[in-house]
Amino acid sequence: MNVAKMVDAKGLSCPMPLVKTKKAIDELTSGQVLEVQTTDKGAKNDLAAWAKVSGHKLVDMKEENGVLTFWIEKA
Amino acid sequence: MSEKKKKTTIILFSGDYDKAMAAYIIANGAAAYDHEVTIFHTFWGLNALRKEEQVPVKKGFLEKMFAKMMPRGADKMGLSRMNFAGVGPKLIKHVIKKHNAMPLPQLIEMAKEQEVKLVACQMTVDLLGLKQEELIDGIEFAGVAAYLADASEGNVNLFI
């Protein structure tokens, strides 16, 4: 996957992963992919819901050693 | 996205640290959803907007008493439960740090950065004897009509 930008939100709690993701996606153009890494367990539902409502596409998600990684394609 | 932005309006009536934290977390979240967000501060919620330092202003006796008894700024606010005469907030700030969450003053900064509109209710500003100079910069002063204008078009509307 061609990742245009990466957000490291590891160790941060709600609402920071979301706020950082939103800021980063604003800097991308349509079709570009953002990678977000977080350790906030609530982010699994949070970022999925946010992407859905904002129209962005959650391309993929994985969980490894307590780190959640999301790939979001900007609408 | 060309459609009209959604709106979130929050009334912050409470002067409790924990409740204000909830209000500001929701506000920051809503801003991330690209909502136009407004927080109306009224009564004790106005203390979240006070400057920490003492600002020299002319006041009557009652106003001076109010100014002394109310927390000067977000960081000085107490908890709605388990305040324990000021020990509670210290404990909460400790666990906030431990969990890497955002303390209230930073949440307010973040909200300003995200262009959340912070409004002080003028009537209660006057009632509590506060002066504009004593409140942080970059806020607006308005009344019930301005609030209703925003809230009537609002998609999320909370009273905290």
Side-chain angles (χ1 to χ4, degrees):
Chain A
M1 206 175 325
N2 214 342
V3 175
K5 200 174 170 68
M6 221 271 279
V7 168
D8 181 3
K10 291 195 291 290
L12 300 175
S13 296
C14 174
M16 287 320 291
L18 175 64
V19 170
K20 282 189 167 248
T21 301
K22 150 79 175 152
K23 270 190 184 166
I25 213 125
D26 279 349
E27 290 166 16
L28 297 185
T29 55
S30 181
Q32 283 186 310
V33 174
L34 176 74
E35 181 178 320
V36 183
Q37 294 185 0
T38 172
T39 46
D40 172 25
K41 289 183 188 71
K44 202 191 265 185
N45 283 323
D46 256 25
L47 288 179
W50 174 79
K52 196 175 160 202
V53 173
S54 318
H56 307 302
K57 190 174 159 201
L58 182 59
V59 185
D60 202 3
M61 196 211 88
K62 72 162 185 192
E63 193 169 359
E64 218 173 62
N65 305 323
V67 179
L68 291 154
T69 310
F70 301 83
W71 289 273
I72 302 165
E73 187 185 313
K74 182 170 175 158
Chain B
M1 278 184 267
S2 57
E3 78 256 44
K4 217 168 163 236
K5 277 190 174 184
K6 291 194 172 179
K7 280 191 181 182
T8 291
T9 52
I10 299 169
I11 303 175
L12 182 58
F13 181 94
S14 168
D16 296 325
Y17 190 96
D18 43 357
K19 292 188 181 181
M21 225 177 126
Y24 271 90
I25 287 175
I26 296 167
N28 277 301
Y33 264 89
D34 246 334
H35 287 196
E36 265 176 38
V37 190
T38 309
I39 308 180
F40 285 88
H41 301 71
T42 185
F43 277 93
W44 319 114
L46 286 169
N47 289 320
L49 299 178
R50 284 181 88 188
K51 285 179 187 159
E52 277 189 27
E53 70 271 17
Q54 201 158 354
V55 182
V57 281
K58 265 192 132 163
K59 281 191 186 190
F61 174 73
L62 263 179
E63 282 87 7
K64 271 186 194 153
M65 290 295 287
F66 265 95
K68 266 213 158 54
M69 288 193 292
M70 294 190 303
R72 208 182 290 281
D75 202 40
K76 303 267 165 56
M77 283 158 53
L79 291 181
S80 65
R81 295 284 152 88
M82 306 199 340
N83 192 49
F84 302 136
V87 180
K90 286 203 175 75
L91 282 174
I92 279 285
K93 281 167 205 169
H94 175 74
V95 289
I96 284 174
K97 213 172 179 179
K98 200 174 120 194
H99 290 272
N100 236 330
M102 278 251 199
L104 182 56
Q106 266 129 286
L107 282 168
I108 296 176
E109 271 312 303
M110 178 66 65
K112 284 170 87 177
E113 232 175 81
Q114 294 209 86
E115 290 172 22
V116 170
K117 195 162 88 182
L118 304 182
V119 181
C121 161
Q122 184 66 58
M123 188 275 280
T124 42
V125 167
D126 295 340
L127 269 190
L128 300 180
L130 294 167
K131 302 277 181 248
Q132 292 201 3
E133 304 91 286
E134 290 179 280
L135 303 179
I136 57 173
D137 299 325
I139 62 170
E140 295 176 25
F141 294 83
V144 67
Y147 158 69
L148 286 170
D150 279 348
S152 57
E153 295 175 5
N155 304 83
V156 178
N157 194 2
L158 297 170
F159 184 97
I160 297 176

